[in-house]
Amino acid sequence: MKIAVDAMGGDYAPTAIIEGVIAAIPDLEADAVVVLIGDEQVVRPMLEKYPVPEGRVEIVHAPEVIEMGEHPTKALTQKPASSISIGFKLLKEGAVNIFCSAGNTGAMTVGALFSIKAIEGLLRPAIAGIVPQIDGSQSIMLDIGANADCKPETLAQFGEIGSIYYKYTFNVEKPRVALMNIGEEDQKGSLVAQAAHVLLRDNKKINFIGNIEGKDFFTNKADVIVTDGFTGNIMYKLGESLYPISKIRGFKDQFIDQTNYEAIGGSPVLGVNGNVMIAHGVSSPLAIRNMLGLAYRQVKADAYRHIVKALS
């Protein structure tokens, strides 16, 4: 298995990326090889500072970098030798099994759509966030930012692809799918939410349990939480704020520690013909280390192929 990582993506790249990769190597199975994509003149001297096991890390030269503030489409067009562009080229060619980056999120999303493309039959790809639960389990929520405005049909499809991803990645036969809403009753919410509820309820391919509210976010009411990217992004970042607040307030809690973005590390892009993972721009070495662990699980689960089959 080859896990490609954008060595130049993120506010603290390439140092944090390389340190995270080095820390992750002992955690990963022996069949995992990390492919660092970036300026070789910068990456190789940094990598050589560490005792890297033979054959576990490779470098692919990419002399250009798409900066955080650049326009995604323009940057991908104007910088074909960027680490993100080359990462997607390798993924499309099958030279790597997954591409991960803490770089420009827009470029990662657009790059996925331009290279490996959306799965046929899918309305919109989504970014899925891993949500820790107070009992120690994990749920996923989608979308968390790729689609601010969603039609009911799009939300219904999120429920289906999220269920498939959860089933194969977390080994749960019938994941509980819920719609995030302002009340548990069927007729609650906006016109979009009400229509999405009907579509989710009528989809016999999923285990739809109805609406949940914001108070249920961390209480293991559902395995797959469906919402639009606007609401999802706000909720996800609110959840992530708990950890720094606990640090400021001076208390420690096992659950709160899991809301730290570093504990998860990455968010998969679902609905494209391949494995893509996006990390925080401020990713630390610990975040990169944990992202690589999740990336390995995602490749092993082969969830995207099951989504392709379901939508074909």
Side-chain angles (χ1 to χ4, degrees):
M1 178 194 301
K2 291 198 173 184
I3 302 172
V5 181
D6 177 6
M8 314 307 289
D11 294 348
Y12 305 113
T15 303
I17 311 301
I18 292 172
E19 290 179 359
V21 167
I22 296 301
I25 291 297
D27 302 336
L28 299 173
E29 297 293 334
D31 65 334
V33 176
V34 178
V35 179
L36 282 167
I37 305 171
D39 188 337
E40 188 167 5
Q41 294 182 342
V42 175
V43 174
R44 188 170 295 281
M46 296 183 70
L47 189 62
E48 289 176 347
K49 295 178 182 178
Y50 302 93
V52 182
E54 186 176 356
R56 298 302 300 277
V57 180
E58 299 176 359
I59 298 173
V60 172
H61 182 53
E64 298 178 319
V65 179
I66 295 178
E67 304 295 343
M68 288 297 198
E70 289 191 74
H71 187 279
T73 307
K74 288 183 180 178
L76 286 165
T77 303
Q78 296 169 0
K79 294 183 175 180
S82 68
S83 51
I84 289 180
S85 297
I86 290 177
F88 278 116
K89 180 176 181 291
L90 294 174
L91 186 62
K92 182 179 179 180
E93 292 172 349
V96 298
N97 300 100
I98 187 169
F99 177 42
C100 311
S101 176
N104 187 308
T105 300
M108 285 294 292
T109 306
V110 173
L113 291 173
F114 279 5
S115 59
I116 56 175
K117 304 186 185 305
I119 292 171
E120 187 176 354
L122 188 85
L123 297 172
R124 295 276 189 90
I127 302 174
I130 311 296
V131 183
Q133 302 297 304
I134 56 175
D135 64 354
S137 64
Q138 293 177 325
S139 301
I140 66 168
M141 178 169 67
L142 64 164
D143 185 23
I144 63 165
N147 306 280
D149 297 296
C150 293
K151 294 180 179 180
E153 294 81 5
T154 306
L155 292 174
Q157 207 168 56
F158 288 170
E160 187 169 343
I161 66 174
S163 179
I164 295 169
Y165 177 84
Y166 197 92
K167 174 181 178 179
Y168 289 99
T169 305
F170 291 85
N171 297 313
V172 174
E173 184 59 30
K174 292 185 177 181
R176 299 161 298 164
V177 179
L179 178 66
M180 182 57 67
N181 210 326
I182 60 172
E184 295 181 357
E185 298 85 358
D186 293 0
Q187 298 303 316
K188 282 281 188 169
S190 64
L191 294 175
V192 171
Q194 291 176 38
H197 186 282
V198 173
L199 294 173
L200 287 162
R201 182 196 65 199
D202 293 344
N203 188 344
K204 304 306 179 186
K205 297 178 182 179
I206 63 174
N207 177 24
F208 182 58
I209 62 168
N211 294 330
I212 61 171
E213 301 178 68
K215 64 182 176 63
D216 305 315
F217 193 40
F218 297 120
T219 61
N220 196 21
K221 283 284 189 71
D223 301 307
V224 180
I225 302 168
V226 176
T227 190
D228 60 86
F230 182 84
T231 305
N233 188 273
I234 291 172
M235 292 192 68
Y236 200 68
K237 289 178 178 175
L238 176 63
E240 288 181 335
S241 74
L242 297 178
Y243 178 75
I245 289 172
S246 74
K247 299 282 283 186
I248 293 169
R249 301 292 291 176
F251 69 88
K252 186 173 178 62
D253 179 87
Q254 187 174 6
F255 164 70
I256 297 294
D257 287 348
Q258 293 306 303
T259 66
N260 178 10
Y261 83 93
E262 294 175 308
I264 305 299
S267 296
V269 178
L270 303 186
V272 292
N273 288 292
N275 294 301
V276 179
M277 190 162 291
I278 297 172
H280 263 287
V282 296
S283 285
S284 65
L286 177 59
I288 298 301
R289 175 183 181 177
N290 288 329
M291 175 186 69
L292 292 177
L294 180 59
Y296 184 88
R297 284 177 62 191
Q298 181 166 327
V299 173
K300 283 291 186 181
D302 210 19
Y304 90 88
R305 294 188 192 276
H306 293 286
I307 295 174
V308 171
K309 183 178 180 181
L311 297 181
S312 64

